Amino acid sequence: MTESGPRAPRLRLTRADLAALPSYVPGRNPADLARELGLPEAVKLASNEVPYGPLPGVVEAVATAAATAHRYPDMGVLALRAALAERFDVDPERIATGCGSVALAEHLVRTTCLPGDEVVYSWRSFEAYPIMTITNGATSVQVPNTPGHGHDLTAMAEAITDRTRLALVCNPNNPTGTSVRREELDRFLAAVPEDVLVVLDEAYREFVTDPEVPDGLAGYGDRPNVVVLRTLSKAWGLAGLRIGFLVGHPDVAAAIRKVVTPFSTSAVAQAAALAALQQEDEVRRRCALVVAERDRVLEAVRKLVPDVPESQANFVWLPLGERAVEFGRACEARGVIVRPFAGDGVRVTIGTPAENDAFLAAAEAAL
């Protein structure tokens, strides 16, 4: 009761359906954990970053661009789109850039779906997919992973209905590291109606070593209903600057450029990306280091968790089920931050050899 009578019902100022929406979980700050544990430092293997620092020339390009921070960036991102077009041998009109590939995926949902339309994707896959689907008023159609923790493309094709507007294929899949091979992707694309947009999310493409895992741009980039997502956050070392791009039909790319938040690709990010793209040999060298460590870590963890799947990304997946959160806490208690997914498993990023050794010691103690 109030002095003037019964308390008025509380007004809802946001959408009621968002209450059930899971929050995106960022990797924990290693400095905070180190301080809690009284350690000199902690190891962060939770966010799929590459551990070798910015590429040569990037810091200098960022510093130069920062001197013009009082000016708006090039909204059309013309120079970067031209550089990407040259690097990947596509027309600049087929390219759109954004605040990481995740932002572009969200824009794709926005440009294809009206309320009630459906987005089909594998689950478990990238944790942002349900968030971007629901917040744009669309309906998630989650198709369970195979027993091997990968996409069930046959079931995904069967899940497509007249209301389906978008199908997301994460290849390699985050967080399981599993990948879709050429033959099964060919069958899937043949089964998908022409009016359904298929998004090949290839954020981890640079770490793929299996020749049977297709390059979406090379194999399918000319299909009108296929869009390929790439990022410079992972192998290209620009996670802190948020730069991603897509390649699709010119009409699709134009629609994305129309709805993208104005000036969301900052001048600093554009300059850094242009500098990074000149370092392809160094990127290949670093990816080779990651892949070598990935193979070593896989061999070691399979002695503890035999059904760890093959990974084509820069992380490995431990299918620990209900033990996932407990395992994550046990690793943190030893100064190693990993990424548990409650009830499913744990994703562990490949770091430096010393960081990976710290994880393996923590995993052996925990298991």
Side-chain angles (χ1 to χ4, degrees):
M1 297 287 290
T2 65
E3 292 182 1
S4 57
R7 186 183 298 275
R10 187 173 180 179
L11 295 175
R12 178 176 292 278
L13 300 177
T14 60
R15 286 167 41 185
D17 62 328
L18 298 184
L21 188 67
S23 296
Y24 187 93
V25 180
R28 189 177 179 191
N29 189 321
D32 292 340
L33 179 62
R35 187 165 49 251
E36 287 178 18
L37 298 176
L39 298 174
E41 61 180 0
V43 173
K44 180 185 176 186
L45 300 176
S47 298
N48 297 347
E49 300 143 330
V50 171
Y52 302 115
L55 290 164
V58 166
V59 172
E60 294 79 3
V62 166
T64 300
T68 62
H70 60 299
R71 303 293 187 186
Y72 283 111
D74 170 20
M75 183 172 165
V77 199
L78 297 180
L80 178 55
R81 285 170 57 206
L84 290 167
E86 181 178 1
R87 164 63 182 78
F88 294 100
D89 193 24
V90 297
D91 192 304
E93 293 306 306
R94 297 180 58 206
I95 296 175
T97 65
C99 185
S101 57
V102 63
L104 292 167
E106 183 175 8
H107 296 322
L108 283 164
V109 178
R110 187 188 309 174
T111 55
T112 58
C113 293
L114 292 170
D117 287 340
E118 295 174 345
V119 178
V120 173
Y121 54 90
S122 190
W123 196 252
R124 176 171 292 273
S125 191
F126 185 29
E127 60 186 308
Y129 291 163
I131 298 173
M132 65 181 64
T133 300
I134 295 172
T135 54
N136 283 290
T139 299
S140 281
V141 178
Q142 297 182 344
V143 178
N145 287 346
T146 66
H149 311 287
H151 284 48
D152 187 338
L153 289 186
T154 300
M156 285 180 64
E158 292 172 351
I160 292 174
T161 71
D162 291 342
R163 296 170 59 191
T164 305
R165 304 301 307 134
L166 199 70
L168 294 158
V169 178
C170 192
N171 197 33
N173 186 44
N174 178 15
T176 63
T178 52
S179 52
V180 171
R181 290 186 159 188
R182 184 174 291 103
E183 184 178 347
E184 54 186 327
L185 188 54
D186 286 345
R187 288 197 302 268
F188 175 73
L189 290 173
V192 174
E194 293 181 353
D195 62 347
V196 174
L197 192 65
V198 177
V199 180
L200 303 180
D201 189 344
E202 296 187 337
Y204 301 94
R205 173 64 205 174
E206 291 85 354
F207 304 105
V208 172
T209 56
D210 182 349
E212 291 303 312
V213 178
D215 178 322
L217 281 179
Y220 312 100
D222 59 346
R223 298 192 180 209
N225 70 327
V226 171
V227 169
V228 178
L229 286 177
R230 296 283 179 89
T231 185
L232 301 183
S233 294
K234 310 303 182 187
W236 298 85
L238 299 182
L241 292 174
R242 310 303 302 127
I243 184 85
F245 65 97
L246 65 74
V247 179
H249 188 277
D251 291 345
V252 175
I256 296 299
R257 293 195 298 269
K258 185 180 294 186
V259 305
V260 72
T261 304
F263 305 111
S264 59
T265 307
S266 72
V268 169
Q270 292 183 45
L274 286 167
L277 287 171
Q278 298 178 35
Q279 298 293 329
E280 189 163 355
D281 288 344
E282 177 62 10
V283 170
R284 287 200 182 99
R285 187 187 74 84
R286 295 182 180 195
C287 287
L289 295 175
V290 170
V291 168
E293 279 297 289
R294 178 184 75 195
D295 294 345
R296 181 175 75 91
V297 171
L298 271 171
E299 182 180 0
V301 294
R302 280 174 173 161
K303 296 175 182 177
L304 304 171
V305 185
D307 54 344
V308 171
E310 193 71 24
S311 174
Q312 288 292 304
N314 68 328
F315 52 84
V316 297
W317 173 252
L318 279 60
L320 292 172
E322 297 302 323
R323 296 185 293 162
V325 172
E326 177 187 355
F327 177 84
R329 290 173 180 158
C331 287
E332 284 196 11
R334 293 167 175 83
V336 179
I337 303 169
V338 295
R339 178 66 173 87
F341 293 80
D344 281 340
V346 178
R347 187 189 69 200
V348 185
T349 305
I350 300 301
T352 65
E355 291 171 338
N356 298 331
D357 286 343
F359 160 68
L360 292 173
E364 186 171 4
L367 293 172

